[in-house]
Amino acid sequence: MPAQSRVAAIVGPRLSGKTTLLEALLAATDAIPRKGSVKDGTSVGDAAKEARARQMTTEVAVVATEYLGDRWTFLDCPGTLEFAAAAEAAALAADIAIVVAEPDPARAPAVAPILHFLNERRVPYLLFINKLDVAEAAVRDIVDAYQAVSARPLVLRQVPVEDGDKVAGYVDLVSNRVYAYKPGAPSELISAPAADGAEDRQGMLEALADFDDDILEKLLEDVTPAPAEIYASIARDVREGIAAPVLIGSGETDGGVRRLLKSLRHDAPGVAATAARRGLETGDMTAQVFRTYHAPHVGKLSYVRVMAGALGPDSTIGGVRIGSILTPLASGLEKAGRAAAGDVVALGRLDVLQTGDIATASERARAADWPAVYPRAHAIAVRAENRNDDVKLNGALARLVEEDAGLSVEQQPETRQLLLWGQGDQHVAVALERLGSRFNLAVAAEAPATAYRETIKKSAEQHARFKRQTGGHGQFGDVLIEIGPAKRGQGFAFENAVVGGAVPKQYIPSVEAGVQDALSAGPLGFLVVDVRVKLKDGKHHAVDSSEQAFRTAGRMAMADALAASAPILLEPICRVTLFAPTEHTSALQRLATGRRGQILGLDAREGWPGWERLDAYLPEAELHGLIQELRSQTMGLGCFDWTPDHLSEIAGRVADDIIEARKQAS
């Protein structure tokens, strides 16, 4: 087999041991002299300050190594849903995903989100049941639990060999051989009977026969397929994304790590197959940006996968000449002379390229299969502690959003707050820490304010006169208006009903402008909506009347009329869809009703076996903190999406508290 350059994304839920497995893979390939520790903060994967403080992966770690002459780049991905955007981008750029799973059937639902993404995008993957040295359940029960959340058939490749209460090795169901684990070294072939795996081997062959007519025919004839045939069948199924092999081991003790490397070497497709699967058109040189990072004192780094052709020192990408080509090694970025098809390299200061771009030498375009915009789950209002840093803050936030598609920024015009949106409180907290550590920005944060509105319930008529004499020309404007409630959502309507020129035509727009001025803050302190206004009469002075005088008179009349028209408070209501595994359906219902919600319906989540969706109307104010409570009650798996829907009247103690808080703030 000729040398290849391939990429494997290490994905899976938090605490499954992904970063520990990466350390074991790097040590097994001599990329590092010894394994680091997540607990001690010495691992290659969790090098970021924010990751080490939390002992959890917060960004994709990119590390290249070699194994048996092939070049491999491992992408160690975050495991929590809050950082899913980074994990999905890495998985899409990879040839194969290693789904790291815990040896606990109860934790099987935790892999459902990433498995759904991999199946939807047809990314080949294998399942590695990690921490087998501390497993309490039988491996068959573990696989059955994961099969329940996997749309792809899982094909068990190994079963453990136990020595007392510990796992001493495994039976390879393909070769029908037994191996003993050796910490820090390849497993040792031992002369022991493999009878314990006979039933599982038959189950493996029957699973492969569903997609392989030759194996099916031999099973029907009671002929045992040769190991070479089985290996070839597994590799084909993996590359076509129709089945996923299951391997066992432990990143902590090195068990099964080298067998995992060999499976990757034989089963993972190459970069050409990956480009074809994704429908990418590749020219002489084609590369994709899958990660962007703004490094202090270095600037923008674009991590690209060369999908075809090669990059050299004189190459251009997206019409821009590249500078240094950097290879991401365990020891850091190292200059490279060139990058071949399949390689992952970092390129500096390519402002023209954005994450997700597919670029040739002269052109760039967004990849059609790149993940879409992520929902906004949690927000905080941010401001620079030093007002002179406002421009710097906007620039830093733009860089963070460029790095992480799960973040977004919104300037809220009514509350005048700058909102940073993310996928959860930890996600946003990490972004805030990066503002300080990377961009040297002191930032104040607070809960976002809700953009309440107010309207009126009855009609009123109001006269107002603005008269001022200051020597010379004075100011005079006199109006009579009638206001009344409009239908919800109709907005503001103004009608001129003046006859006989009591208010000259040139002053009518000024009266309307004054009326709208009064709508910016009604008697309750909020923006006024859904009001119709009729200008019925007025007076003018041939010398002292002016546009400004009539604008002032219109504002005065409107302010008094609003106060006399039974003002009421309105709150924005959102249509919210909550998602969780079926066993947490009651938690979804409690959450919706406990946050003043109105449940609209409950149904199965399409394309997600064993998941439910609940649709409800929820007040916008109740969305704050929803994602934390939702995940705390759904094993960290729940998520939701929302869109603004309508305004609804709010009264009683809740309304009183909101109005009082507004007065205090003013």
Side-chain angles (χ1 to χ4, degrees):
M1 180 187 294
Q4 298 187 59
S5 185
R6 286 174 288 180
V7 176
I10 305 175
V11 300
R14 187 189 176 196
L15 301 178
S16 59
K18 299 181 300 300
T19 301
T20 300
L21 178 61
L22 172 66
E23 293 292 313
L25 291 167
L26 295 178
T29 57
D30 297 323
I32 54 176
R34 66 182 64 86
K35 292 191 298 182
S37 165
V38 172
K39 183 178 180 180
D40 296 337
T42 57
S43 63
V44 173
D46 290 343
K49 177 182 176 182
E50 303 83 19
R52 289 187 172 170
R54 292 170 172 78
Q55 294 193 0
M56 61 178 278
T57 305
T58 58
E59 59 190 24
V60 176
V62 185
V63 191
T65 185
E66 290 189 4
Y67 179 68
L68 297 180
D70 289 338
R71 189 169 187 81
W72 283 92
T73 301
F74 291 108
L75 310 178
D76 182 26
C77 301
T80 69
L81 289 179
E82 298 188 26
F83 299 92
E88 291 177 358
L92 202 56
D95 299 309
I96 192 169
I98 306 167
V99 182
V100 185
E102 294 185 73
D104 180 359
R107 292 291 297 158
V111 304
I114 189 64
L115 289 185
H116 178 80
F117 180 83
L118 297 175
N119 283 314
E120 187 178 55
R121 302 308 177 94
R122 300 187 300 115
V123 178
Y125 65 83
L126 58 81
L127 191 74
F128 183 78
I129 301 176
N130 196 21
K131 304 181 185 179
L132 204 69
D133 51 315
V134 296
E136 296 183 358
V139 70
R140 299 164 188 83
D141 294 335
I142 297 170
V143 174
D144 287 344
Y146 283 101
Q147 183 63 77
V149 296
S150 173
R152 240 173 256 185
L154 301 179
V155 181
L156 184 62
R157 285 277 314 269
Q158 303 165 321
V159 293
V161 173
E162 298 178 351
D163 181 8
D165 59 352
K166 70 175 185 178
V167 177
Y170 66 92
V171 178
D172 186 314
L173 298 179
V174 178
S175 65
N176 212 27
R177 293 174 176 176
V178 183
Y179 293 84
Y181 289 140
K182 297 291 181 182
S187 298
E188 182 181 64
L189 177 64
I190 60 176
S191 56
D196 288 348
E199 182 180 342
D200 292 299
R201 189 170 196 268
Q202 184 64 24
M204 176 192 69
L205 293 174
E206 290 175 359
L208 294 175
D210 288 339
F211 309 104
D212 191 316
D213 291 342
D214 291 337
I215 289 181
L216 175 61
E217 184 177 345
K218 289 188 176 182
L219 290 182
L220 293 174
E221 295 174 355
D222 205 22
V223 175
T224 301
E229 294 178 80
I230 302 172
Y231 283 126
S233 182
I234 291 173
R236 184 171 56 252
D237 291 349
V238 172
R239 293 172 184 178
E240 293 179 3
I242 57 178
V246 179
L247 303 179
I248 60 176
S250 169
E252 186 69 39
T253 64
D254 298 329
V257 171
R258 287 164 179 80
R259 175 66 259 181
L260 171 61
L261 283 165
K262 290 180 180 178
S263 294
L264 290 172
R265 185 171 186 264
H266 290 290
D267 299 344
V271 64
T274 298
R277 167 178 56 80
R278 295 180 55 196
L280 303 180
E281 295 184 7
T282 54
D284 293 337
M285 193 293 297
T286 306
Q288 177 164 36
V289 183
F290 67 90
R291 186 190 176 209
T292 300
Y293 179 75
H294 292 271
H297 314 299
V298 175
K300 180 178 177 179
L301 288 173
S302 300
Y303 285 81
V304 305
R305 176 100 195 268
V306 181
M307 307 302 293
L311 284 173
D314 297 323
S315 297
T316 60
I317 183 169
V320 178
R321 185 171 178 175
I322 65 174
S324 297
I325 301 174
L326 305 173
T327 297
L329 301 176
S331 57
L333 295 172
E334 183 178 286
K335 285 190 176 181
R338 58 185 278 110
D343 285 348
V344 170
V345 293
L347 306 176
R349 302 184 184 280
L350 290 176
D351 292 336
V352 68
L353 293 181
Q354 304 296 319
T355 306
D357 282 353
I358 289 285
T360 61
S362 58
E363 298 179 346
R364 69 179 182 90
R366 186 79 170 178
D369 64 344
W370 203 248
V373 177
Y374 288 83
R376 299 176 297 169
H378 181 75
I380 55 169
V382 297
R383 58 178 174 82
E385 290 187 355
N386 185 341
R387 288 197 171 187
N388 294 330
D389 288 337
D390 284 347
V391 174
K392 185 178 178 181
L393 174 61
N394 287 329
L397 288 173
R399 289 180 175 88
L400 290 182
V401 170
E402 185 181 17
E403 289 183 3
D404 187 344
L407 295 171
S408 61
V409 177
E410 175 192 10
Q411 182 68 57
Q412 230 295 340
E414 293 181 30
T415 63
R416 299 181 182 179
Q417 289 181 320
L418 181 63
L419 301 184
L420 174 62
W421 285 95
Q423 303 306 304
D425 56 333
Q426 288 272 22
H427 190 206
V428 172
V430 167
L432 284 180
E433 290 176 25
R434 288 173 180 165
L435 288 174
S437 61
R438 286 203 216 160
F439 303 101
N440 196 28
L441 268 169
V443 177
E446 60 185 1
T450 301
Y452 294 100
R453 278 87 160 176
E454 60 182 275
T455 190
I456 58 175
K457 296 193 73 172
K458 67 178 186 179
S459 301
E461 190 173 87
Q462 185 66 47
H463 169 260
R465 173 177 291 180
F466 177 66
K467 183 177 181 181
R468 180 174 296 170
Q469 195 69 39
T470 58
H473 289 309
Q475 295 288 327
F476 182 87
D478 186 294
V479 297
L480 175 66
I481 64 171
E482 178 185 88
I483 72 170
K487 290 183 179 180
R488 190 75 71 242
Q490 185 173 333
F492 169 73
F494 182 85
E495 177 187 355
N496 174 26
V498 174
V499 295
V503 178
K505 289 184 178 180
Q506 66 267 30
Y507 298 138
I508 302 298
S510 299
V511 176
E512 182 177 358
V515 165
Q516 291 192 4
D517 290 342
L519 297 179
S520 62
L524 306 181
F526 300 94
L527 178 71
V528 181
V529 297
D530 299 336
V531 175
R532 54 178 179 78
V533 179
K534 180 187 294 185
L535 176 60
K536 300 182 68 175
D537 202 357
K539 295 180 181 179
H540 73 284
H541 189 280
V543 176
D544 292 341
S545 288
S546 66
E547 292 180 357
Q548 186 57 49
F550 273 100
R551 182 167 186 161
T552 302
R555 184 178 67 250
M556 293 167 56
M558 189 64 182
D560 291 341
L562 288 171
S565 302
I568 57 170
L569 187 65
L570 299 176
E571 67 174 338
I573 303 296
C574 302
R575 187 181 180 103
V576 181
T577 304
L578 301 99
F579 304 100
T582 303
E583 58 265 32
H584 301 294
T585 299
S586 59
L588 297 185
Q589 295 171 326
R590 287 195 304 270
L591 276 174
T593 56
R595 288 176 174 262
R596 300 190 289 123
Q598 175 190 351
I599 295 177
L600 301 175
L602 180 68
D603 203 352
R605 186 178 187 183
E606 186 177 356
W608 289 65
W611 278 60
E612 298 284 337
R613 60 172 287 168
L614 183 144
D615 293 289
Y617 285 139
L618 257 68
E620 182 185 303
E622 298 291 345
L623 298 186
H624 188 68
L626 173 61
I627 191 65
Q628 294 94 302
E629 189 177 359
L630 174 60
R631 289 196 173 134
S632 71
Q633 297 189 28
T634 59
M635 293 178 57
L637 298 174
C639 57
F640 71 93
D641 200 358
W642 63 276
T643 55
D645 195 272
H646 63 278
L647 294 172
S648 179
E649 180 180 347
I650 179 172
R653 180 62 180 271
V654 176
D656 293 342
D657 290 345
I658 294 168
I659 295 168
E660 182 60 29
R662 180 62 172 228
K663 289 179 180 177
Q664 295 295 331
S666 299

